[in-house]
C-alpha cells in the first residue's frame, strides 16, 4: 500500500507542475497580448484608464456613503435607546419603591416583577422610543457598597460586559456596542444602555439590550446596493467611454488607412467629410494636402517623363551629326602625319573627345531606357569568372597608363549564376575604371566569391578613398568626390549610376565602402538564381586587409582565391 502511494505522489506532483506551467504560460500570453493592445490601441488605453479612475472614484464615494449611512442609523438608534432607557428607568423606580435590605430571593422576585412591568408598559408611545425597537431589560443590584458580594439580578445579566457595569455602578449612564454569542451558535450584536436607579434606597442598575440586527441588515442592503450600483455605473462608464472614444478614434484610423494607401501609390484616396466639427476640418485639411501632393507628383512625373524623352530624343538626334563628324574626324586622323605637329595633335584630341561624346550618348540612351523601365534582362546560366577576366582585360591599357596594376583573385571551381553577361561585364568595367581613376598608382584587386545563393565581386583600390557619407553619393549621376580632379579614364559620370541600375535589374545590389586615405571598395552582389533571393553575401564590407601582389604595370595577375580570404571574411562576420 505504501509503495502504491509513493508512486501516486510523484505522478500528482508532475501533473501539478504541468498545470502550474500551463497557467504561467497562459498568464504570460495574456500579459503580452494586453501589452500589445495597450501600445497599439488608443481606444483601449482611454477606456481602461477611464475605467480605472472611475473605479477609484466609485470606491471612495461608496465608502463615504456607507460610513455616513451607518453613522446616521447608529445615532438615531442611540438617541432612541437613551429615551427608552429613561422611560424604563422611571417605570422600574415606581415598581421598586421601598426596596431595602431584603433576602436575595425576595429581591430577585421583585426585580423580576419590575422587568415584567417594564416589558408591558407602553413606553413606545414616545417617537424616540418607537425608533429604538425591541429590547431585553436587565435589573441588577450592586454598587461600590456591595463590591465584594455577588449581585442579585433579573434578566440575562451575563450578557452585560463588566466594563459597562463599572461605569453604571459608578452612577453614570453609559452605552456600549457588544457582540454576544447565542446558545444556537450564532452571534448577535447589541446596543447596551445602562443607567443607575437613584430613586430607590438600594443601589440598582437597569440595562436595556437593543439588538442591532435590523441596522446590520440595513447596512448590508446598502452595501449590496452600492456594490451593484457601482458595478453597473462602471460598466455604463466603460461603454460610454468606449463609444465616445470610438467616435474620435475612428476618423483618425480612417485617416491613417487613407495615408497608408496614399503612400502606397493610391493618389486618389481621400477622406469623407461629415459635418463641420474639428474632425471634419481635419478631413478637409488632409484632402487638400493630398490633392496638393498629388498635383505636385503628377507634375514631377510629367516633368521627369519630358526629361527622359528629351534626353532620348536628343541622344537619337545627335547620332546622325555625330556619325558625320566621326567620319570627318577619322579622315583627318588617318592623314594626321601630313599635318603640322599642332594640327596633328588637335586631330588626336578631336578623336578622343568624339569617343567620349559617343560614350556619353550611349550612356544617356541606356539610362533613359532604365528610367523608363523598358530594359529586359537576358539572363542565362554562365560562369562569372570569364566575365571578370574580360572586364580586367578591357582596362589593362588604362591601368598601365595610370600607373596601376590589376590583380584578379578567382576561385578554383566554376561560379555559375543566372546573369546577363553583357550587363555584368559593363558593371565590372565601370568599377575597375573608377578604381583605376582613383588608385593614385597603387594596385587594384578584383575578387570573385560565391556561396550557395549569391555571387559577389569586390573591386578594391588603395587610393584617396571616400569621406564619411560619400559612400551613398557615389552612385548619383555626374557626382564627383573632387570636382577639381581630372578623369584619367575619360568617364561620362553615369557609369556607377548605370551599374547600380543593372545590379537592381538582376535582383542584386551594388554598394560601396571607403575611408579617407585607405582607399575604397565596391561590392556587387547577385543572386545565383533569379527566383531565389541572394541572401547573405559571400564577401563582406569593409574588406579584410591583405597586401596586393606585386604585378608589373599594365599586366594582369590571375590568383586563385586563397582560403585565408574567406576565413578572414568569416571571422569578420562573427
Amino acid at each position: 500500500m505504501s509503495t502504491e502511494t509513493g508512486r501516486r505522489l510523484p505522478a500528482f506532483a508532475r501533473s501539478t507542475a504541468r498545470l502550474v506551467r500551463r497557467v504561467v504560460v497562459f498568464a504570460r500570453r495574456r500579459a503580452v497580448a494586453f501589452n500589445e493592445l495597450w501600445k497599439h490601441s488608443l481606444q483601449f488605453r482611454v477606456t481602461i484608464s477611464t475605467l480605472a479612475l472611475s473605479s477609484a472614484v466609485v470606491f471612495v464615494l461608496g465608502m463615504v456613503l456607507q460610513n455616513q449611512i451607518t453613522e446616521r442609523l447608529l445615532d438615531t438608534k442611540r438617541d432612541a435607546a437613551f429615551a427608552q432607557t429613561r422611560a424604563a428607568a422611571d417605570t422600574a423606580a415606581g415598581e421598586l419603591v421601598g426596596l431595602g435590605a431584603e433576602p436575595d430571593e425576595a429581591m430577585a422576585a421583585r426585580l423580576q416583577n419590575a422587568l415584567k412591568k417594564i416589558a408591558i408598559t407602553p413606553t413606545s408611545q414616545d417617537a424616540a422610543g418607537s425608533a429604538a425597537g425591541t429590547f431585553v431589560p436587565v435589573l441588577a443590584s450592586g454598587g461600590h457598597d456591595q463590591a465584594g458580594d455577588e449581585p442579585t439580578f433579573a434578566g440575562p445579566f451575563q450578557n452585560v460586559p463588566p466594563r459597562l457595569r463599572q461605569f453604571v455602578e459608578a452612577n453614570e449612564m453609559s452605552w456600549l456596542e457588544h457582540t454576544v454569542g447565542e446558545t444556537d451558535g450564532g452571534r448577535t450584536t447589541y446596543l447596551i444602555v445602562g443607567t443607575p436607579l437613584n430613586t430607590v434606597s438600594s443601589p440598582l442598575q437597569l440595562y436595556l439590550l437593543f439588538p442591532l440586527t435590523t441596522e446590520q441588515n440595513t447596512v448590508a442592503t446598502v452595501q449590496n446596493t452600492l456594490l451593484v450600483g457601482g458595478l453597473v455605473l462602471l460598466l455604463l462608464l466603460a461603454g460610454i467611454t468606449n463609444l465616445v472614444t470610438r467616435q474620435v478614434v475612428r476618423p483618425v484610423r480612417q485617416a491613417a488607412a487613407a495615408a497608408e494607401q496614399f503612400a502606397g501609390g493610391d493618389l486618389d484616396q481621400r477622406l469623407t467629410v461629415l459635418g463641420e466639427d474639428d474632425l471634419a476640418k481635419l478631413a478637409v485639411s488632409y484632402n487638400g494636402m493630398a490633392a496638393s501632393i498629388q498635383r505636385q507628383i503628377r507634375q514631377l512625373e510629367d516633368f521627369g517623363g519630358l526629361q527622359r524623352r528629351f534626353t532620348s530624343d536628343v541622344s537619337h538626334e545627335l547620332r546622325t551629326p555625330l556619325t558625320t563628324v566621326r567620319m570627318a574626324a577619322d579622315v583627318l586622323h588617318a592623314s594626321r602625319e601630313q599635318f603640322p605637329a599642332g594640327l596633328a595633335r588637335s586631330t588626336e584630341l578631336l578623336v578622343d573627345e568624339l569617343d567620349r561624346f559617343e560614350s556619353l550618348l550611349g550612356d544617356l540612351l541606356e539610362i533613359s531606357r532604365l528610367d523608363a523601365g523598358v530594359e529586359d534582362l537576358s539572363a542565362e546560366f554562365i560562369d562569372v569568372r570569364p566575365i571578370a577576366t574580360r572586364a580586367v582585360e578591357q582596362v589593362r591599357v588604362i591601368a598601365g597608363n595610370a600607373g596601376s596594376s590589376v590583380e584578379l583573385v578567382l576561385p578554383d571551381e566554376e561560379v555559375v549564376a543566372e546573369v546577363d553577361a553583357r550587363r555584368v561585364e559593363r558593371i565590372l568595367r565601370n568599377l575597375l575604371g573608377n578604381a583605376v581613376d582613383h588608385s593614385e598608382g597603387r594596385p587594384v584587386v578584383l575578387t570573385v566569391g560565391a556561396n550557395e545563393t549569391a555571387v559577389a565581386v569586390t573591386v578594391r583600390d588603395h587610393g584617396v578613398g571616400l569621406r564619411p557619407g560619400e559612400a551613398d553619393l557615389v552612385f548619383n549621376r555626374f557626382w564627383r568626390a573632387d570636382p577639381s580632379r581630372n578623369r584619367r579614364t575619360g568617364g561620362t559620370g553615369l557609369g556607377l549610376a548605370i551599374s547600380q541600375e543593372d545590379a537592381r535589374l538582376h535582383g542584386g545590389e551594388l554598394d560601396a565602402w571607403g575611408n579617407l586615405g585607405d582607399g575604397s571598395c565596391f561590392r556587387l552582389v547577385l543572386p545565383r538564381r533569379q527566383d531565389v533571393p541572394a541572401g547573405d553575401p559571400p564577401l563582406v564590407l569593409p574588406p579584410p586587409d591583405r597586401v596586393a601582389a606585386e604585378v608589373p604595370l599594365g599586366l594582369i595577375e590571375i590568383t586563385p582565391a586563397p582560403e585565408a580570404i574567406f576565413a578572414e571574411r568569416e571571422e569578420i562576420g562573427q
Side-chain angles (χ1 to χ4, degrees):
M1 190 68 177
S2 61
T3 303
E4 184 178 357
T5 304
R7 291 177 179 175
R8 289 178 179 176
L9 288 177
F12 176 75
R14 287 194 297 270
S15 61
T16 304
R18 286 195 297 268
L19 179 61
V20 171
R21 284 196 297 270
R22 290 177 182 176
V23 171
V24 171
V25 171
F26 178 79
R28 288 180 178 175
R29 289 178 179 175
R30 297 283 75 78
V32 171
F34 180 86
N35 187 34
E36 291 296 324
L37 189 60
W38 178 269
K39 290 191 299 184
H40 295 91
S41 177
L42 176 62
Q43 181 178 354
F44 181 76
R45 286 202 305 271
V46 173
T47 302
I48 294 299
S49 300
T50 304
L51 191 60
L53 295 175
S54 300
S55 300
V57 173
V58 169
F59 176 77
V60 173
L61 182 60
M63 293 297 296
V64 171
L65 289 176
Q66 178 183 335
N67 292 334
Q68 291 292 327
I69 293 173
T70 303
E71 289 295 332
R72 294 293 179 87
L73 286 174
L74 291 178
D75 290 344
T76 303
K77 183 78 171 184
R78 195 177 302 117
D79 295 340
F82 284 168
Q84 187 80 8
T85 303
R86 294 188 186 96
D90 295 338
T91 303
E95 287 294 319
L96 297 175
V97 172
L99 182 64
E102 299 178 0
D104 294 340
E105 293 78 3
M107 181 174 291
R110 293 198 62 179
L111 294 179
Q112 192 66 36
N113 292 329
L115 287 184
K116 293 179 179 179
K117 185 65 174 180
I118 294 174
I120 63 175
T121 300
T123 56
S124 60
Q125 292 177 359
D126 188 359
S130 63
T134 61
F135 60 87
V136 178
V138 176
L139 279 171
S141 65
H144 57 277
D145 294 335
Q146 301 174 345
D149 300 332
E150 289 294 330
T152 303
F153 59 86
F157 184 67
Q158 69 278 2
N159 292 340
V160 180
R163 53 179 176 173
L164 179 61
R165 300 177 196 169
Q166 295 175 0
F167 285 97
V168 178
E169 290 174 358
N171 293 324
E172 294 183 9
M173 186 177 183
S174 302
W175 64 273
L176 183 67
E177 294 178 8
H178 182 61
T179 302
V180 177
E182 304 294 342
T183 56
D184 57 357
R187 299 177 66 85
T188 304
T189 302
Y190 291 95
L191 173 63
I192 305 176
V193 181
T195 182
L197 297 179
N198 297 323
T199 58
V200 297
S201 59
S202 178
L204 295 176
Q205 296 86 35
L206 173 65
Y207 302 95
L208 297 186
L209 282 68
F210 297 90
L212 297 177
T213 305
T214 303
E215 286 72 19
Q216 289 177 335
N217 293 335
T218 303
V219 172
T221 303
V222 170
Q223 288 178 344
N224 294 333
T225 303
L226 291 176
L227 179 61
V228 174
L231 292 177
V232 173
L233 179 61
L234 290 178
L235 292 177
L236 291 176
L237 287 175
I240 294 172
T241 303
N242 186 62
L243 180 62
V244 174
T245 308
R246 184 179 180 183
Q247 292 180 352
V248 177
V249 172
R250 183 171 56 185
V252 177
R253 291 176 178 173
Q254 293 175 353
E260 290 179 359
Q261 295 179 7
F262 189 87
D266 186 6
L267 301 182
D268 295 326
Q269 188 66 32
R270 297 293 185 272
L271 292 178
T272 303
V273 180
L274 298 175
E276 299 179 356
D277 54 6
D278 295 335
L279 295 177
K281 294 179 181 178
L282 173 63
V284 172
S285 300
Y286 174 84
N287 292 340
M289 178 191 67
S292 176
I293 294 176
Q294 182 183 20
R295 184 170 56 256
Q296 295 179 17
I297 290 177
R298 295 282 169 78
Q299 291 177 354
L300 290 175
E301 289 178 349
D302 295 341
F303 180 70
L306 290 174
Q307 276 192 326
R308 289 191 294 270
R309 190 170 67 179
F310 174 77
T311 302
S312 179
D313 293 344
V314 169
S315 301
H316 280 94
E317 291 299 327
L318 286 177
R319 285 221 174 257
T320 301
L322 178 61
T323 302
T324 304
V325 174
R326 164 65 70 180
M327 294 174 59
D330 289 341
V331 172
L332 294 176
H333 188 267
S335 305
R336 67 183 183 279
E337 296 180 354
Q338 302 175 7
F339 298 152
L343 186 58
R345 178 57 180 164
S346 298
T347 303
E348 294 175 354
L349 293 176
L350 176 62
V351 172
D352 292 340
E353 292 302 320
L354 283 175
D355 291 338
R356 184 180 177 186
F357 188 35
E358 192 172 5
S359 298
L360 177 60
L361 283 179
D363 289 345
L364 286 174
L365 285 173
E366 183 69 22
I367 205 164
S368 64
R369 286 193 292 268
L370 289 171
D371 290 340
V374 297
E375 285 287 359
D376 294 328
L377 187 68
S378 301
E380 59 180 345
F381 287 97
I382 190 172
D383 188 3
V384 178
R385 295 180 302 170
I387 301 176
T389 303
R390 291 197 300 270
V392 173
E393 284 284 354
Q394 294 176 15
V395 299
R396 179 175 60 85
V397 177
I398 298 175
N401 295 334
S404 299
S405 60
V406 179
E407 181 183 358
L408 182 59
V409 183
L410 300 177
D412 293 333
E413 66 278 0
E414 289 186 350
V415 182
V416 179
E418 188 179 4
V419 297
D420 188 335
R422 179 181 65 87
R423 294 183 183 278
V424 174
E425 183 177 341
R426 180 170 62 188
I427 295 173
L428 299 182
R429 185 172 63 248
N430 288 331
L431 295 180
L432 287 170
N434 180 76
V436 169
D437 193 41
H438 296 84
S439 63
E440 298 290 334
R442 299 184 180 91
V444 175
V445 182
L446 187 148
T447 306
V448 178
N451 57 21
E452 294 181 356
T453 59
V455 176
V457 181
T458 60
V459 178
R460 175 79 160 94
D461 68 79
H462 298 80
V464 294
L466 296 173
R467 298 181 181 88
E470 291 184 346
D472 297 329
L473 301 176
V474 293
F475 301 106
N476 293 345
R477 301 172 186 181
F478 301 107
W479 183 86
R480 298 177 65 180
D482 186 3
S484 63
R485 185 183 182 85
N486 294 324
R487 297 181 183 269
R488 294 191 179 94
T489 60
T492 62
L494 296 173
L496 292 180
I498 295 176
S499 299
Q500 189 178 50
E501 295 298 329
D502 284 337
R504 291 175 179 172
L505 196 61
H506 280 85
E509 62 178 355
L510 180 62
D511 48 3
W513 167 88
N515 195 12
L516 196 61
D518 295 333
S520 59
C521 182
F522 288 78
R523 180 182 63 180
L524 171 66
V525 181
L526 301 175
R528 300 194 72 163
R529 297 179 61 91
Q530 288 299 309
D531 56 348
V532 178
D536 295 331
L539 301 177
V540 298
L541 286 181
D545 291 332
R546 64 183 295 270
V547 179
E550 292 294 335
V551 182
L553 299 181
L555 297 182
I556 301 171
E557 179 70 16
I558 301 178
T559 305
E563 296 295 333
I565 294 179
F566 300 100
E568 290 175 359
R569 177 184 63 80
E570 294 175 358
E571 182 177 350
I572 291 175
Q574 294 175 355

